[in-house]
Amino acid sequence: MPLISITGPIATGATTLAKLMCNQTSWKPMFEGNVVEDNPFFLKYQELPSVYSFHNQTLFLTRSASLHKGLRQEMNYRRIFVQDFTPFEHNDIYTNVLFKFNKLSRDEFELLSNLNEHLKSYFVLPDVLVYRGLDSRKLKERVFLRGRQGEDSYKFEFLDAIRERFEEWSSTWSQSRIIKIRSDVDLLTDFDYVNDIIREVEDYLNFRYKNSRDQILFT
């Protein structure tokens, strides 16, 4: 059954948009969760990235594989599922940037890449990838305003490298339909824009699943 993945660089509003879309529909959220509470390495990674980047990335990667393994079992039901991340970004974006900034050794980088190769068979490709990018200034402002514990330690150069890697990754994404969100839209106030996104997703799913449309809950 259909999967919608919403993503973008840190603090671009993927979770906000995912919640708004689920609130407007009967789509089932399968969100990443609270990284501060659920990841025992997250704050340690913020304080000592050269020591804990490997632990942090390993946990994100293995938890995503576990979640997607369960998702494959649940997808027998007549549901549309929504996630506020993709498991592909753990390795394709974050692991690569951490290695570039010398927060991962070559051995750690290669081990994580190898682990990703073994686990990606569990990953479910989204039917639709919804992507939102932001320019460098807006991204820095949103990270500051969000005030998530630990994120205030991010250097501008690191955030910009994440942003650039996301832009490159999204520009070459060809494994499913991609919808790009305008960076100037306030998702919390522009309800018409959010509804337009929902309709665009539904139209595409109607087309893709036209032979089994009666099996899918679109509203």
Side-chain angles (χ1 to χ4, degrees):
M1 290 295 102
L3 172 65
I4 314 302
S5 294
I6 305 173
T7 194
I10 300 166
T12 52
T15 301
T16 297
L17 179 56
K19 288 179 178 178
L20 288 170
M21 294 174 76
C22 288
N23 289 340
Q24 293 289 95
T25 63
S26 64
W27 301 351
K28 183 174 180 179
M30 297 192 75
F31 294 167
E32 185 177 40
N34 188 313
V35 294
V36 176
E37 295 178 0
D38 299 341
N39 184 344
F41 300 111
F42 184 73
L43 293 181
K44 294 177 181 178
Y45 152 73
Q46 305 293 342
E47 295 175 3
L48 294 170
S50 296
V51 177
Y52 288 103
S53 288
F54 178 78
H55 305 70
N56 191 55
Q57 288 303 109
T58 300
L59 191 139
F60 275 125
L61 190 59
T62 53
R63 282 194 174 174
S64 287
S66 179
L67 181 63
H68 271 234
K69 182 179 179 182
L71 181 61
R72 286 183 179 277
Q73 297 170 348
E74 283 208 53
M75 289 181 85
N76 292 323
Y77 295 99
R78 299 181 301 125
R79 280 296 178 118
I80 296 173
F81 294 87
V82 179
Q83 291 196 304
D84 58 345
F85 72 101
T86 76
F88 309 100
E89 65 202 52
H90 298 320
N91 190 72
D92 294 349
I93 296 169
Y94 289 100
T95 292
N96 278 273
V97 172
L98 287 165
F99 178 60
K100 177 182 177 181
F101 277 73
N102 297 314
K103 305 305 180 185
L104 290 168
S105 70
R106 177 165 294 279
D107 287 342
E108 290 171 332
F109 172 75
E110 291 178 352
L111 183 55
L112 280 169
S113 299
N114 189 43
L115 179 62
N116 181 73
E117 284 297 309
H118 284 286
L119 293 178
K120 68 181 184 181
S121 62
Y122 292 112
F123 300 159
V124 179
L125 275 172
D127 293 85
V128 180
L129 177 69
V130 180
Y131 174 76
R132 189 187 195 193
L134 291 175
D135 62 38
S136 298
R137 180 184 58 81
K138 287 183 179 179
L139 188 64
K140 186 70 174 178
E141 288 176 356
R142 288 178 67 88
V143 170
F144 176 77
L145 290 173
R146 181 162 79 166
R148 175 182 284 175
Q149 187 178 2
E151 287 185 350
D152 55 352
S153 65
Y154 286 144
K155 304 297 184 184
F156 177 77
E157 293 80 7
F158 179 76
L159 285 174
D160 205 41
I162 292 291
R163 183 192 65 80
E164 289 178 357
R165 185 77 181 185
F166 259 108
E167 287 294 306
E168 178 184 357
W169 176 77
S170 65
S171 68
T172 58
W173 179 266
S174 60
Q175 300 181 78
S176 59
R177 174 71 175 272
I178 183 169
I179 297 173
K180 294 193 175 184
I181 306 300
R182 282 171 33 205
S183 61
D184 61 332
V185 173
D186 185 343
L187 297 172
L188 292 175
T189 60
D190 197 335
F191 302 113
D192 289 339
Y193 188 80
V194 173
N195 286 329
D196 285 344
I197 298 169
I198 292 173
R199 281 193 291 270
E200 185 173 351
V201 170
E202 288 181 336
D203 287 346
Y204 176 74
L205 294 180
N206 272 319
F207 170 77
R208 179 163 186 179
Y209 291 93
K210 60 184 178 181
N211 294 326
S212 58
R213 181 178 175 183
D214 60 329
Q215 298 178 10
I216 301 174
L217 299 178
F218 284 96
T219 58

